[in-house]
């Protein structure tokens, strides 16, 4: 039986979340963020700085588009979508170091992180149901 330390350490090694990915982007960490959703989802909105490789295309496209040895983070729609896990499996089969961004695009948006679509930046909305929202102090 797996003990709690092993389980949670392994889980943290293979998962990340929206706020940690955003912090890593801001810090200039070396990784590629991959949106594994379909074309319509990508066009509707995506994480700023992500690249688009639907999970069904990873085996064919990733070796040509993402250098070997580059760490990868994948995401799909939400906690209710398993395309992120499917994408992670495909990257792992190719030998990439890969993590899944839990919460997916939904939690990225709900935490007010930058998103874009084909027309440009989308409004940032901060959802008090998933994070502390601070009111600016008047002054």
């Amino acid at each position: 039986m797996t003990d709690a330390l092993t389980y949670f350490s392994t889980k943290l090694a293979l998962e990340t979340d929206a706020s940690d990915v955003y912090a890593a982007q801001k810090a200039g960490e070396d990784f590629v963020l991959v949106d594994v959703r379909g074309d319509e989802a990508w066009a509707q909105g995506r994480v700023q700085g992500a690249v688009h490789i639907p999970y069904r295309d990873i085996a064919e496209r990733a070796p040509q588009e993402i250098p070997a040895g580059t760490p990868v983070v994948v995401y799909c729609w939400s906690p209710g979508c398993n395309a992120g896990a499917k994408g992670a499996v495909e990257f792992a089969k190719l030998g990439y170091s890969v993590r899944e961004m839990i919460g997916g695009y939904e939690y990225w948006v709900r935490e007010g992180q930058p998103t874009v679509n084909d027309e440009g930046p989308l409004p940032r909305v901060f959802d008090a149901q998933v994070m502390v929202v601070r009111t600016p102090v008047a002054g």
Side-chain angles (χ1 to χ4, degrees), residues 74-122:
V74 297
Y75 73 89
C76 65
W77 274 112
S78 69
C81 174
N82 69 2
K86 291 175 182 177
V89 165
E90 293 303 314
F91 276 106
K93 285 179 186 177
L94 295 169
Y96 288 88
S97 171
V98 61
R99 295 188 300 161
E100 180 181 15
M101 184 174 79
I102 60 172
Y105 182 71
E106 176 188 353
Y107 276 74
W108 183 274
V109 171
R110 292 177 76 181
E111 291 181 15
Q113 313 305 13
T115 57
V116 298
N117 65 15
D118 291 342
E119 284 75 50
L122 295 169

Coordinates of all heavy atoms in Angstrom, one line a residue, residues 74-122:
V74 N 0.4 20.7 -19.4 CA -0.8 20.6 -20.2 C -2.0 21.0 -19.5 O -2.1 20.9 -18.2 CB -1.0 19.2 -20.8 CG1 0.1 18.7 -21.6 CG2 -1.2 18.2 -19.6
Y75 N -3.0 21.5 -20.2 CA -4.3 21.8 -19.6 C -5.5 21.6 -20.6 O -5.2 21.6 -21.8 CB -4.4 23.3 -19.1 CG -4.5 24.4 -20.1 CD1 -5.7 24.8 -20.6 CD2 -3.3 25.0 -20.6 CE1 -5.8 25.8 -21.5 CE2 -3.4 26.0 -21.5 CZ -4.6 26.4 -22.0 OH -4.7 27.4 -22.9
C76 N -6.6 21.3 -20.0 CA -7.8 21.3 -20.8 C -8.9 22.2 -20.2 O -8.5 23.3 -19.7 CB -8.4 19.8 -20.9 SG -8.9 19.1 -19.4
W77 N -10.2 21.9 -20.3 CA -11.2 22.8 -19.9 C -11.2 23.1 -18.4 O -11.2 24.2 -17.9 CB -12.6 22.3 -20.3 CG -13.0 22.7 -21.7 CD1 -13.1 21.9 -22.8 CD2 -13.3 24.0 -22.2 NE1 -13.5 22.6 -23.9 CE2 -13.7 23.9 -23.5 CE3 -13.4 25.3 -21.6 CZ2 -14.1 25.0 -24.3 CZ3 -13.8 26.3 -22.4 CH2 -14.1 26.2 -23.7
S78 N -11.4 22.0 -17.6 CA -11.7 22.1 -16.2 C -11.4 20.8 -15.5 O -11.0 19.8 -16.1 CB -13.2 22.4 -16.1 OG -14.0 21.3 -16.5
P79 N -11.8 20.8 -14.2 CA -11.6 19.6 -13.4 C -12.5 18.5 -14.0 O -12.3 17.3 -13.8 CB -12.0 19.9 -12.0 CG -11.9 21.4 -11.9 CD -12.1 21.9 -13.3
G80 N -13.6 18.8 -14.7 CA -14.5 17.8 -15.3 C -14.0 17.3 -16.6 O -14.8 16.6 -17.3
C81 N -12.9 17.7 -17.1 CA -12.4 17.3 -18.4 C -11.1 16.5 -18.3 O -10.2 16.9 -17.5 CB -12.1 18.6 -19.2 SG -11.3 18.3 -20.8
N82 N -11.0 15.3 -18.9 CA -9.8 14.5 -18.8 C -8.9 14.6 -20.0 O -7.9 13.8 -20.1 CB -10.2 13.0 -18.5 CG -10.9 12.3 -19.7 OD1 -11.0 12.9 -20.8 ND2 -11.3 11.1 -19.5
A83 N -9.1 15.5 -20.9 CA -8.2 15.7 -22.0 C -6.8 16.1 -21.5 O -5.8 15.7 -22.2 CB -8.7 16.7 -23.0
G84 N -6.7 16.8 -20.4 CA -5.4 17.1 -19.9 C -4.6 15.9 -19.6 O -3.4 15.8 -19.9
A85 N -5.2 14.9 -18.9 CA -4.6 13.7 -18.5 C -4.2 12.9 -19.8 O -3.1 12.3 -19.9 CB -5.5 12.9 -17.6
K86 N -5.1 12.9 -20.8 CA -4.8 12.2 -22.1 C -3.6 12.8 -22.7 O -2.8 12.1 -23.3 CB -6.0 12.3 -23.0 CG -7.2 11.4 -22.5 CD -8.4 11.6 -23.4 CE -9.6 10.8 -22.9 NZ -10.8 11.0 -23.7
G87 N -3.6 14.2 -22.7 CA -2.4 14.9 -23.3 C -1.1 14.5 -22.5 O -0.1 14.3 -23.1
A88 N -1.2 14.5 -21.2 CA 0.0 14.2 -20.4 C 0.5 12.8 -20.7 O 1.7 12.6 -20.8 CB -0.4 14.3 -18.9
V89 N -0.4 11.9 -20.9 CA 0.0 10.5 -21.3 C 0.8 10.5 -22.6 O 1.8 9.9 -22.7 CB -1.2 9.6 -21.4 CG1 -0.9 8.3 -22.1 CG2 -1.8 9.3 -20.0
E90 N 0.3 11.3 -23.6 CA 0.9 11.3 -24.9 C 2.3 11.9 -24.8 O 3.3 11.4 -25.4 CB 0.1 12.1 -25.9 CG -1.2 11.4 -26.2 CD -1.0 9.9 -26.8 OE1 -0.1 9.8 -27.7 OE2 -1.7 9.0 -26.3
F91 N 2.5 13.0 -24.0 CA 3.8 13.6 -23.8 C 4.7 12.6 -23.1 O 5.9 12.5 -23.4 CB 3.7 14.9 -23.1 CG 3.4 16.1 -24.0 CD1 2.1 16.7 -24.0 CD2 4.4 16.6 -24.8 CE1 1.9 17.8 -24.8 CE2 4.1 17.7 -25.7 CZ 2.9 18.3 -25.7
A92 N 4.2 12.0 -22.0 CA 5.0 11.0 -21.3 C 5.5 9.9 -22.2 O 6.6 9.4 -22.1 CB 4.2 10.5 -20.1
K93 N 4.6 9.4 -23.1 CA 5.0 8.3 -24.0 C 6.2 8.8 -24.9 O 7.0 7.9 -25.3 CB 3.9 7.9 -24.9 CG 2.8 7.1 -24.3 CD 1.7 6.9 -25.4 CE 0.5 6.2 -24.8 NZ -0.5 6.0 -25.9
L94 N 6.3 10.1 -25.2 CA 7.4 10.6 -26.0 C 8.6 11.0 -25.2 O 9.6 11.4 -25.7 CB 6.9 11.9 -26.7 CG 5.8 11.6 -27.7 CD1 5.2 13.0 -28.2 CD2 6.3 10.8 -28.9
G95 N 8.5 10.8 -23.9 CA 9.7 11.0 -23.0 C 9.8 12.4 -22.4 O 10.8 12.7 -21.8
Y96 N 8.8 13.2 -22.6 CA 8.8 14.6 -22.0 C 8.5 14.5 -20.5 O 7.8 13.7 -20.0 CB 7.7 15.5 -22.7 CG 8.0 15.9 -24.1 CD1 7.7 15.1 -25.1 CD2 8.7 17.1 -24.3 CE1 7.9 15.5 -26.4 CE2 9.0 17.4 -25.6 CZ 8.6 16.6 -26.7 OH 8.8 17.0 -28.0
S97 N 9.1 15.4 -19.8 CA 8.7 15.7 -18.4 C 7.5 16.5 -18.5 O 7.4 17.6 -19.0 CB 9.8 16.5 -17.7 OG 9.4 16.9 -16.4
V98 N 6.4 16.0 -18.0 CA 5.1 16.6 -18.1 C 4.3 16.7 -16.8 O 4.4 15.7 -16.0 CB 4.2 15.9 -19.2 CG1 4.0 14.4 -18.9 CG2 2.9 16.6 -19.5
R99 N 3.6 17.8 -16.7 CA 2.7 17.9 -15.5 C 1.3 18.4 -16.1 O 1.3 19.1 -17.1 CB 3.2 18.9 -14.5 CG 4.5 18.4 -13.9 CD 4.9 19.3 -12.7 NE 5.2 20.6 -13.2 CZ 5.3 21.7 -12.4 NH1 5.1 21.6 -11.1 NH2 5.5 22.9 -12.8
E100 N 0.3 18.1 -15.4 CA -1.1 18.6 -15.7 C -1.4 19.8 -14.8 O -1.2 19.7 -13.6 CB -2.1 17.5 -15.5 CG -3.5 17.9 -15.9 CD -4.5 16.8 -15.7 OE1 -4.2 15.8 -15.0 OE2 -5.6 17.0 -16.2
M101 N -2.0 20.8 -15.4 CA -2.4 22.0 -14.7 C -3.9 21.7 -14.2 O -4.8 21.7 -15.0 CB -2.4 23.3 -15.5 CG -2.8 24.5 -14.7 SD -2.7 26.0 -15.6 CE -4.2 26.0 -16.6
I102 N -4.0 21.3 -12.9 CA -5.3 21.0 -12.4 C -6.2 22.2 -12.4 O -5.7 23.3 -12.3 CB -5.2 20.3 -11.0 CG1 -4.6 21.3 -10.0 CG2 -4.5 19.0 -11.0 CD1 -4.6 20.8 -8.5
G103 N -7.5 22.0 -12.6 CA -8.4 23.1 -12.7 C -8.6 23.6 -14.1 O -9.6 24.2 -14.5
G104 N -7.5 23.3 -15.0 CA -7.6 23.7 -16.4 C -7.9 25.1 -16.6 O -7.7 26.0 -15.8
Y105 N -8.4 25.4 -17.8 CA -8.7 26.7 -18.3 C -9.7 27.4 -17.4 O -9.6 28.6 -17.1 CB -9.2 26.7 -19.7 CG -9.5 28.0 -20.3 CD1 -8.5 28.9 -20.7 CD2 -10.8 28.4 -20.6 CE1 -8.7 30.1 -21.2 CE2 -11.1 29.7 -21.2 CZ -10.1 30.5 -21.5 OH -10.3 31.7 -22.0
E106 N -10.7 26.6 -16.9 CA -11.7 27.2 -16.0 C -11.1 27.9 -14.8 O -11.4 29.1 -14.5 CB -12.6 26.1 -15.5 CG -13.6 26.7 -14.5 CD -14.5 25.6 -13.8 OE1 -14.4 24.4 -14.1 OE2 -15.2 26.0 -12.8
Y107 N -10.2 27.3 -14.1 CA -9.6 27.9 -12.9 C -8.6 29.0 -13.3 O -8.4 29.9 -12.5 CB -9.0 26.8 -12.0 CG -10.2 26.3 -11.1 CD1 -11.1 25.4 -11.6 CD2 -10.3 26.7 -9.8 CE1 -12.2 25.0 -10.9 CE2 -11.4 26.3 -9.0 CZ -12.3 25.4 -9.6 OH -13.4 25.0 -8.8
W108 N -8.0 28.9 -14.4 CA -7.1 30.0 -14.9 C -7.9 31.2 -15.0 O -7.6 32.3 -14.5 CB -6.4 29.6 -16.2 CG -5.5 30.6 -16.7 CD1 -5.8 31.7 -17.5 CD2 -4.1 30.7 -16.5 NE1 -4.7 32.4 -17.7 CE2 -3.6 31.8 -17.1 CE3 -3.2 29.8 -15.8 CZ2 -2.2 32.2 -17.1 CZ3 -1.8 30.2 -15.8 CH2 -1.4 31.3 -16.5
V109 N -9.1 31.1 -15.7 CA -10.0 32.2 -15.9 C -10.5 32.7 -14.5 O -10.6 33.9 -14.3 CB -11.1 31.9 -16.8 CG1 -12.2 33.0 -16.9 CG2 -10.5 31.6 -18.2
R110 N -11.0 31.8 -13.7 CA -11.6 32.2 -12.4 C -10.6 32.9 -11.5 O -11.0 33.7 -10.7 CB -12.2 31.0 -11.8 CG -13.4 30.4 -12.5 CD -14.0 29.2 -11.9 NE -14.7 29.6 -10.7 CZ -15.4 28.7 -9.9 NH1 -15.3 27.4 -10.2 NH2 -16.0 29.1 -8.9
E111 N -9.4 32.6 -11.6 CA -8.3 33.3 -10.8 C -7.9 34.6 -11.4 O -7.0 35.2 -10.9 CB -7.2 32.3 -10.6 CG -7.5 31.2 -9.7 CD -6.4 30.3 -9.4 OE1 -5.2 30.6 -9.6 OE2 -6.6 29.1 -8.9
G112 N -8.5 35.0 -12.6 CA -8.1 36.2 -13.2 C -6.8 36.3 -13.9 O -6.3 37.4 -14.2
Q113 N -6.3 35.1 -14.3 CA -5.0 35.1 -15.0 C -5.2 35.6 -16.5 O -6.3 35.5 -17.0 CB -4.3 33.8 -15.0 CG -4.3 33.1 -13.6 CD -3.7 33.9 -12.5 OE1 -3.4 35.1 -12.6 NE2 -3.4 33.2 -11.4
P114 N -4.2 36.1 -17.2 CA -4.4 36.6 -18.5 C -4.8 35.5 -19.5 O -4.3 34.4 -19.6 CB -3.0 37.1 -18.9 CG -2.3 37.2 -17.6 CD -2.8 36.2 -16.7
T115 N -5.9 35.9 -20.3 CA -6.4 35.0 -21.4 C -6.5 35.9 -22.6 O -6.6 37.1 -22.6 CB -7.7 34.4 -21.0 OG1 -8.6 35.5 -20.7 CG2 -7.7 33.5 -19.8
V116 N -6.5 35.2 -23.7 CA -6.6 35.8 -25.0 C -7.5 35.0 -25.9 O -7.7 33.8 -25.7 CB -5.2 36.1 -25.7 CG1 -4.3 37.0 -24.9 CG2 -4.5 34.7 -26.0
N117 N -7.9 35.6 -27.0 CA -8.5 34.8 -28.1 C -7.9 35.4 -29.4 O -7.0 36.2 -29.4 CB -10.0 34.8 -28.1 CG -10.7 36.2 -28.3 OD1 -10.0 37.1 -28.7 ND2 -11.9 36.3 -27.9
D118 N -8.5 35.0 -30.5 CA -8.0 35.5 -31.8 C -8.0 37.0 -32.0 O -7.3 37.6 -32.8 CB -8.7 34.8 -33.0 CG -8.4 33.3 -33.0 OD1 -7.4 32.9 -32.4 OD2 -9.1 32.6 -33.7
E119 N -8.9 37.7 -31.2 CA -9.0 39.1 -31.3 C -8.1 39.9 -30.4 O -8.0 41.1 -30.5 CB -10.5 39.6 -31.1 CG -11.4 39.3 -32.3 CD -11.8 37.8 -32.4 OE1 -12.2 37.2 -31.4 OE2 -11.6 37.3 -33.5
G120 N -7.6 39.2 -29.4 CA -6.7 39.8 -28.4 C -7.0 39.5 -27.0 O -7.7 38.5 -26.7
P121 N -6.5 40.3 -26.0 CA -6.7 40.0 -24.6 C -8.2 40.0 -24.2 O -9.0 40.8 -24.8 CB -6.0 41.1 -23.9 CG -5.0 41.7 -24.9 CD -5.7 41.5 -26.2
L122 N -8.6 39.1 -23.3 CA -9.9 39.0 -22.8 C -10.0 39.7 -21.4 O -8.9 39.8 -20.7 CB -10.3 37.5 -22.7 CG -10.5 36.8 -24.0 CD1 -10.6 35.3 -23.8 CD2 -11.6 37.4 -24.8

